[in-house]
Amino acid sequence: MTKKTTKTTAKKPRAVLVTTAHRGVFFGYATATDGETIKLAKARLCLYWSADVKGFMGLAANGPSAACRIGPPADIELRSIAAVAEVTPAAVTAWEAAPWRS
């Protein structure tokens, strides 16, 4: 009798920028991004972005600038997803370095 082994492939979390139907803009790490609900680890809310960022796509491409207001990180579950964008490595660095400013 042979023993079968099953290999479980866990997806690696990827950096994404998510918008919701309620106009929230969040950066974080997700393993699954399909459907109406997405779980984000180390999620950060963009409370305000300045004109120099060039909007949502600029936040995904370059990350927040010093003039943006970014919330502290938390693990969250988002609902009513409007869009999901890949985040560049340069933008990840900017998001992770952004200080919490109220």
Side-chain angles (χ1 to χ4, degrees):
M1 178 181 241
T2 61
K3 186 177 181 180
K4 276 189 167 181
T5 58
T6 57
K7 186 176 180 180
T8 316
T9 306
K11 283 187 169 183
K12 182 180 173 188
R14 62 189 176 109
V16 293
L17 194 65
V18 180
T19 61
T20 67
H22 308 287
R23 299 169 68 174
V25 176
F26 299 86
F27 163 81
Y29 297 90
T31 54
T33 56
D34 54 337
E36 284 290 311
T37 303
I38 293 178
K39 290 182 181 182
L40 286 182
K42 301 179 194 173
R44 301 198 69 189
L45 171 64
C46 183
L47 295 144
Y48 165 82
W49 69 76
S50 54
D52 64 330
V53 182
K54 306 212 182 344
F56 172 75
M57 299 303 284
L59 288 168
N62 304 309
S65 70
C68 296
R69 291 175 45 201
I70 306 300
D75 294 344
I76 62 172
E77 185 172 295
L78 297 172
R79 302 178 190 284
S80 303
I81 305 305
V84 178
E86 296 291 325
V87 178
T88 67
V92 169
T93 300
W95 276 102
E96 290 179 348
W100 157 236
R101 290 183 31 203
S102 58

